Amino acid sequence: MELPIAFLEQMKELLGEEYPEYLESFSRPTCGGLRVNTGKISVEKFLELTRWDLQPVPWVSNGFYVSREEHAEGDAANPAKHPFYYAGLYYLQEPSAMTPASRLPVKPKDRVLDLCAAPGGKATELAARLQGEGMLLANDISASRARALLKNLELQGVENMLITGEEPERLAAVYPEFFDAILLDAPCSGEGMFRKERSMVSAWSGKGPSWYAPVQSRLIRQARQMLRPGGYLLYSTCTFSPEENEQVIAGFLEEFPDMELCPVEPYEGFAPGISVGGRDLSACVHIFPHRIEGEGHFLALMRRRGASVDREEPSGREHRSDALPAAAEEFLSHICRDWSGGRFFCRQDQIYYLPEGVEPAKGLRYLRTGLLVGTMKRSRFEPSQALAMALRPEEFDFVLNLSSEDERTVRYLKGETISLGEREAAGKKGWLLVCTDGFPLGFGKAAGPSVKNKYYAGWRMV
Ligand code: SAM
């Protein structure tokens, strides 16, 4: 592959005697990865359930390698086509890209911001770490990419979330010193993906490090405005350039003495950051494709000095819980769950549930606020795909559990009507939560010996 001379010069200087090994990495195959959604299933249970022969990504506790060669398109064992993918049990992600979310301290009940989140590779892991408690605000300025973000978060069953498509400066005005943990996975020149996506190389020649560095410096300052004292900020890129990495961090730490660099949980394959202007940045981490099985990333973990103060809620909150239409109440009576921590609200014909601590503020462009429970179609209530993904089978009164190997599972995912055996059909009428091996896929409506397909058309298996 033709690489830009200026890029090669930069890598030679950065890597020194490791430079030939880096060049050599272009002749090695790239690898894919799968990250278990621990918001739905533990790693142990996942391995038991799938019995797939998966090699662990050694520095990410829920990450595994997936060989691209072994799984041809359409192959039933292809993880991108398997029913468990549609059940949100994992996210397909390149291994180096699993690192940033794995190194940001996030615990249940935290308020977490992913400022540049689409399509959600890292946001889905941050949500899993919250275990349904606290809130995730996932933002991305690109409307089309933010729609992919919404789909991925809903597919993984996340409900304690807000999704926005905002300029960070507008978010900072609403959420000053608000978040416990912030991920800034900044837009960058993408040098770390050169092996995997050749198109990044030509994009680099148009917009290289000097184009991105000022954008990144602006974004990191805006991120800090939203970080509470004592909170953590993780800056990451998928590029190697010191101009977009160490220099951004050095300038930021210089400007804001209340920010301190923290060590990143180590792995032997990581390389330390280089010093800039006499500032030691060895606590930063470079991930290079010649040192690990995967591509390239950069990480800097920082903490805002000081202790947390009492939490202020964002301005413009509404606390009312709306009265629900009778048909929605009736449907919800079949869900065995304590909704009292949060509140329902209706917007036009749509009904949402906001879990505790998840409150939209006025004036921001939200793509999703909490869980879309369903839609009123005249006097009928239709539950949403997102609700199906957020439920556990034991929470719903009527369940059809199909084995992942039952051919009806794939037919259901393709949007077809499926038939019920005599025993399966007994006593089933109306809405059913269709599951695969105990994990929800979507809704269907039982009508005699068959199930009318209610799987969301936009998500169908093709
Ligand atoms: N974190 C994502 C993931 O793991 O799937 C990848 C994020 S990608 C590296 C950077 C993202 O930043 C892009 O989706 C881009 O649309 C978004 N972006 C660019 N400028 C932005 C801005 N000013 N504010 C918010 N997002 C921005």
Side-chain angles (χ1 to χ4, degrees), residues 104-114 126-127 129-130 133-138 160 162 174-183 226-229 231-233 308-315 317 319 356-359:
L104 176 63
V106 168
K107 56 187 185 318
K109 294 198 164 70
D110 278 352
R111 292 166 170 175
V112 180
L113 169 66
D114 187 345
L126 297 175
R129 287 174 171 248
L130 286 175
E133 293 182 72
M135 78 96 139
L136 170 70
L137 172 57
N160 54 330
L162 298 169
V174 174
Y175 294 106
E177 300 193 357
F178 183 80
F179 294 98
D180 301 297
I182 298 180
L183 176 65
M226 292 183 264
L227 187 67
R228 70 158 172 86
Y232 287 90
L233 166 63
S308 177
V309 284
D310 272 354
R311 295 174 156 202
E312 285 281 316
E313 298 300 335
S315 54
R317 281 170 40 122
H319 288 279
E356 189 177 357
V358 181
E359 277 294 333

Side-chain angles (χ1 to χ4, degrees), residues 91 93 97 114-123 139-143 145-146 149 152 166-168 171 183-188 212 215 218-219 222 236-238 297:
Y91 186 92
Q93 190 174 34
D114 187 345
L115 191 56
C116 300
K122 296 165 187 105
N139 176 69
D140 202 282
I141 196 72
S142 153
R145 288 174 63 88
L149 170 67
N152 283 324
E166 276 297 350
E167 276 295 351
L171 289 178
L183 176 65
L184 169 55
D185 188 36
C188 70
Y212 282 102
V215 176
R218 191 188 73 231
L219 287 169
Q222 290 164 331
S236 61
T237 66
C238 62
H297 261 79

Side-chain angles (χ1 to χ4, degrees), residues 182-429:
I182 298 180
L183 176 65
L184 169 55
D185 188 36
C188 70
S189 64
E191 296 162 351
M193 296 298 136
F194 279 5
R195 279 179 2 118
K196 191 170 153 251
E197 287 174 40
R198 306 277 151 127
S199 61
M200 301 295 288
V201 180
S202 45
W204 189 94
S205 303
K207 284 182 185 173
S210 354
W211 192 92
Y212 282 102
V215 176
Q216 293 152 342
S217 294
R218 191 188 73 231
L219 287 169
I220 197 171
R221 282 197 216 107
Q222 290 164 331
R224 177 192 156 276
Q225 286 179 269
M226 292 183 264
L227 187 67
R228 70 158 172 86
Y232 287 90
L233 166 63
L234 193 136
Y235 174 85
S236 61
T237 66
C238 62
T239 210
F240 304 126
S241 147
E243 192 177 352
E244 294 178 71
N245 293 324
E246 284 93 338
Q247 285 180 27
V248 170
I249 299 303
F252 177 65
L253 294 174
E254 190 64 37
E255 189 175 346
F256 299 104
D258 65 342
M259 296 299 300
E260 61 185 358
L261 200 56
C262 305
V264 169
E265 187 195 327
Y267 170 64
E268 60 193 14
F270 293 167
I274 59 166
S275 302
V276 168
R279 188 182 277 274
D280 174 16
L281 297 174
S282 56
C284 300
V285 162
H286 275 286
I287 303 178
F288 293 115
H290 62 283
R291 282 178 162 238
I292 52 117
E293 282 296 319
E295 305 307 315
H297 261 79
F298 172 86
L299 283 73
L301 177 64
M302 287 154 285
R303 184 177 168 277
R304 188 165 183 176
R305 291 192 174 94
S308 177
V309 284
D310 272 354
R311 295 174 156 202
E312 285 281 316
E313 298 300 335
S315 54
R317 281 170 40 122
E318 295 171 26
H319 288 279
R320 279 179 295 110
S321 194
D322 291 346
L324 299 183
E329 286 281 15
E330 200 282 327
F331 183 90
L332 292 176
S333 72
H334 297 292
I335 296 178
C336 176
R337 181 189 255 226
D338 181 8
W339 301 97
S340 63
R343 69 179 181 95
F344 290 97
F345 81 96
C346 306
R347 193 190 295 141
Q348 289 155 352
D349 53 358
Q350 297 198 308
I351 297 169
Y352 294 85
Y353 176 69
L354 294 172
E356 189 177 357
V358 181
E359 277 294 333
K362 282 204 175 109
L364 294 179
R365 243 189 325 257
Y366 288 99
L367 275 87
R368 182 60 83 237
T369 46
L371 173 66
L372 172 61
V373 180
T375 307
M376 291 306 298
K377 303 257 167 96
R378 294 178 189 272
S379 58
R380 281 186 303 109
F381 173 78
E382 292 248 345
S384 75
Q385 180 65 35
L387 175 64
M389 302 313 291
L391 286 174
R392 281 176 287 116
E394 59 273 23
E395 291 178 317
F396 196 61
D397 282 351
F398 312 109
V399 170
L400 174 66
N401 190 23
L402 303 171
S403 154
S404 61
E405 283 164 15
D406 187 323
E407 46 98 25
R408 291 177 297 173
T409 305
V410 167
R411 289 192 26 227
Y412 171 76
L413 290 169
K414 289 185 169 174
E416 296 172 24
T417 297
I418 55 173
S419 55
L420 293 175
E422 215 170 283
R423 277 176 60 198
E424 284 173 331
K428 292 207 171 75
K429 197 165 173 280

Side-chain angles (χ1 to χ4, degrees), residues 10-19 22 288 290:
Q10 168 199 288
M11 294 308 287
K12 206 182 280 179
E13 196 179 329
L14 182 62
L15 292 171
E17 57 188 27
E18 285 183 32
Y19 177 64
Y22 169 68
F288 293 115
H290 62 283

